[in-house]
Amino acid sequence: MSSSKVNHTSQSILNPKTTEYEFLGPIGAFLMITVLPTLVYVLNVSCTFDGCPPYYYIEPYFKAPLSFLYHYSPWYLVSLFDAAAFVAYICFLIYLYLTWLYLPGEWVEGTVLRNGKRLKYKQNGFDTLLLTLFVIAATLIVIGTGPFLFVFDHYIGLITASTIVSFAASIYVYLDSFEGDKLLALGGNTGNVIYDFMIGRELNPRIGDFDIKYLVELRPGLIGWMIIDVSMAICQYVELGEITFALFLVVVFQIWYVVDALYMESSVLTTIDITTDGFGWMLCFGNLTWLPFTYSIQARYLVLSPIGLSWFSIFIIMILKAVGYVIFREANTEKNIFRNDPNDPRVRHLKYITTKQGSRLLVSGWWGVARHINYFGDWLMAWSWCLPCGFDDIFPYFYVVYFAVLLVHREIRDETKCKNKYKKDWDRYCEIVKWRIIPGVY
Ligand code: NDP
């Protein structure tokens, strides 16, 4: 038998054909690729100083639903491109790459892969965040508010820039996944071009030591989101001469979320995105475009429609954020420590079951309360970001609705993954920990 045949056989054992579709298969993949970018534009273009969406924006479509075909001609689409915003966005990505390359950082190992290897990842995301905060402060002092007003004024152009980059990057990683002996994601090797392109074919696309998924996962989306939020606060200050308490809460809460994610950078190595999902359009567009430009809807809304909050509302919102954060952080940290070292003194007292597959599953502590209690904490925090926007408009609440759908769907996907991995042991675990996300409810 020739060595290339041996190689081919071992590759197909390592990378079995994916036989089951998620997200409604190729049709769902096509819809995601076309509808989600459109939705990002709709959510942002239709938020103006007159409301979110303003009545005059939606009224014509009630009367003549097909009139959007006339309004959104190819020329309209071309007008969404903004050269200055494109250059600014590319500079931002280059900055992130250079900070990854030159800022010092510890190289840590990821989880064991199917081929028995462990990849190394350079952790300097938090330092990048601190440097970015310093750059923001220095820009404000030396240049003034201009660059931050640029973000507000060129917002739609920035969305277009990030969308172009996310399509370009996902086409590159898809084509590159056919080169050499790549480790593919178990869910991304169906052979259907649209589906594999969307869900992600290769597990860990890399250029040398540079892990594309890892860098895209935490930095452009989260740091970009923080810059947008800060820009919105500066914009409001320029407009009103003050920052309202509502906007202050949204900006502080969301930056807190970003700081937390980057401070706990190593935790991302045990998340589904890194361990299981391939890197394709979904993660690329999700992190480059969807996250920064839909998660900042509340901050932008509050610049367009400033509101005041009663002390009672502020109290409720702060409680929601605090409770959500404690659940989210404690649960994620507990699992992360346990996965890295079950004998760590911080988790040694917790009860667990040992599976035939070798791993242990926690059945006490946070993971004994519900099988994804971490999602519940995250969702409570989502409410604390939306409620400061009051109840005049619906679009600021897009995030809590979308996030509930995402988390329920993600939980179902993870259950399927764990059921396939742990088989009867997973049923045993579900017998002990009955609730999926919210104890007593779901
Ligand atoms: P989780 O951190 O919930 O990890 C799920 C994995 O944990 C399972 O696949 C399994 O992996 C392991 N596991 C499950 N049960 C147990 C147990 N009892 N004991 C030990 N290990 C267990 O997955 P996610 O990546 O979905 O979420 C991470 C965080 O990111 C969450 O807080 C979520 O809310 C947040 N998130 C936020 C998003 C946003 O847009 N803001 C988007 C997505 C997630 P194995 O056994 O194979 O190790």
Side-chain angles (χ1 to χ4, degrees), residues 8-54:
H8 182 73
T9 313
S10 57
Q11 265 306 101
S12 42
I13 292 170
L14 196 60
N15 293 323
K17 200 112 187 120
T18 307
T19 50
E20 278 178 25
Y21 285 124
E22 296 178 86
F23 297 99
L24 303 179
I27 293 175
F30 177 75
L31 287 175
M32 281 175 75
I33 292 167
T34 47
V35 171
L36 294 184
T38 312
L39 192 55
V40 178
Y41 282 109
V42 169
L43 287 168
N44 285 294
V45 171
S46 62
C47 276
T48 74
F49 284 102
D50 296 322
C52 193

Side-chain angles (χ1 to χ4, degrees), residues 127-189:
D127 296 317
T128 305
L129 177 112
L130 293 180
L131 179 66
T132 310
L133 285 171
F134 174 78
V135 172
I136 289 174
T139 307
L140 203 52
I141 293 165
V142 178
I143 305 177
T145 55
F148 304 98
L149 302 182
F150 177 94
V151 173
F152 185 79
D153 293 339
H154 293 257
Y155 202 70
I156 303 302
L158 289 167
I159 294 176
T160 306
S162 72
T163 307
I164 292 172
V165 172
S166 58
F167 272 91
S170 18
I171 291 170
Y172 168 77
V173 290
Y174 176 73
L175 295 178
D176 194 54
S177 70
F178 292 94
E179 298 291 323
D181 295 342
K182 300 285 172 57
L183 183 67
L184 306 183
L186 286 176
N189 188 22

Side-chain angles (χ1 to χ4, degrees), residues 257 271-272 295 328 332 335 338-339 360-362 367 372 374-375 378 399 403 406-407 410 414 417-418 421-422 426 429:
Y257 193 78
T271 60
I272 302 168
Y295 289 22
F328 163 85
N332 282 327
K335 190 209 38 176
F338 185 74
R339 274 281 168 265
R360 300 166 181 184
L361 291 170
L362 287 165
W367 294 82
H372 273 99
N374 52 346
Y375 289 1
D378 215 344
Y399 182 67
F403 203 43
L406 177 140
L407 292 175
R410 201 172 168 89
D414 194 44
K417 178 211 124 178
C418 291
K421 182 173 175 184
Y422 297 117
W426 187 253
Y429 171 60

Side-chain angles (χ1 to χ4, degrees), residues 24 52 117 189 215 224 253 275 281 323 377 385 412 439:
L24 303 179
C52 193
K117 292 184 186 157
N189 188 22
L215 196 106
F253 288 171
T275 60
W281 183 85
V323 173
W385 305 347
I412 294 169

Side-chain angles (χ1 to χ4, degrees), residues 5 59 129 150 160 180 242 246 299 303 318 321 329 333 357 359 371 410 434 437:
K5 200 162 180 192
E59 195 203 4
L129 177 112
F150 177 94
T160 306
E242 62 162 341
V303 176
M318 288 172 95
K321 174 72 188 181
R329 177 47 43 229
T333 306
Q357 200 266 354
S359 309
R371 303 202 288 274
R410 201 172 168 89
K434 294 197 184 326
I437 298 178

Side-chain angles (χ1 to χ4, degrees), residues 193-400:
V193 178
I194 292 186
Y195 183 80
D196 292 351
F197 166 77
M198 189 286 289
I199 200 93
R201 193 165 181 274
E202 188 179 343
L203 190 59
N204 309 106
R206 287 189 155 209
I207 302 171
D209 284 339
F210 174 64
D211 191 287
I212 304 175
K213 176 161 74 169
Y214 180 70
L215 196 106
V216 169
E217 182 75 15
L218 283 185
R219 300 180 197 203
L222 289 174
I223 295 177
W225 179 20
M226 179 183 80
I227 294 173
I228 292 172
D229 272 8
V230 170
S231 302
M232 295 305 149
I234 291 171
C235 245
Q236 188 174 70
Y237 189 78
V238 171
E239 282 274 322
L240 299 182
E242 62 162 341
I243 297 170
T244 60
F245 212 91
L247 181 59
F248 176 77
L249 284 183
V250 168
V251 170
V252 169
F253 288 171
Q254 296 189 342
I255 291 182
W256 177 350
Y257 193 78
V258 172
V259 170
D260 176 85
L262 286 159
Y263 185 71
M264 305 299 294
E265 192 179 4
S266 62
S267 306
V268 80
L269 295 176
T270 58
T271 60
I272 302 168
D273 288 3
I274 297 289
T275 60
T276 313
D277 286 341
F279 185 68
W281 183 85
M282 184 172 74
L283 282 183
C284 203
F285 176 80
N287 285 295
L288 293 180
T289 306
W290 184 266
L291 190 162
F293 295 103
T294 62
Y295 289 22
S296 52
I297 283 179
Q298 299 89 14
R300 186 162 173 266
Y301 173 77
L302 288 169
V303 176
L304 296 166
S305 312
I307 61 160
L309 290 176
S310 69
W311 286 110
F312 180 69
S313 333
I314 292 171
F315 176 72
I316 297 291
I317 289 166
M318 288 172 95
I319 294 283
L320 269 176
K321 174 72 188 181
V323 173
Y325 179 73
V326 169
I327 299 174
F328 163 85
R329 177 47 43 229
E330 292 281 314
N332 282 327
T333 306
E334 192 173 78
K335 190 209 38 176
N336 199 43
I337 295 173
F338 185 74
R339 274 281 168 265
N340 284 329
D341 177 12
N343 294 318
D344 187 297
R346 287 169 292 176
V347 292
R348 206 171 34 205
H349 61 285
L350 295 174
K351 291 188 191 135
Y352 58 83
I353 55 171
T354 307
T355 65
K356 285 210 180 73
Q357 200 266 354
S359 309
R360 300 166 181 184
L361 291 170
L362 287 165
V363 291
S364 74
W366 288 105
W367 294 82
V369 179
R371 303 202 288 274
H372 273 99
I373 190 75
N374 52 346
Y375 289 1
F376 181 48
D378 215 344
W379 195 58
L380 287 181
M381 286 195 284
W383 276 101
S384 76
W385 305 347
C386 297
L387 287 170
C389 297
F391 299 105
D392 285 347
D393 286 300
I394 49 169
F395 277 11
Y397 286 85
F398 170 77
Y399 182 67
V400 270

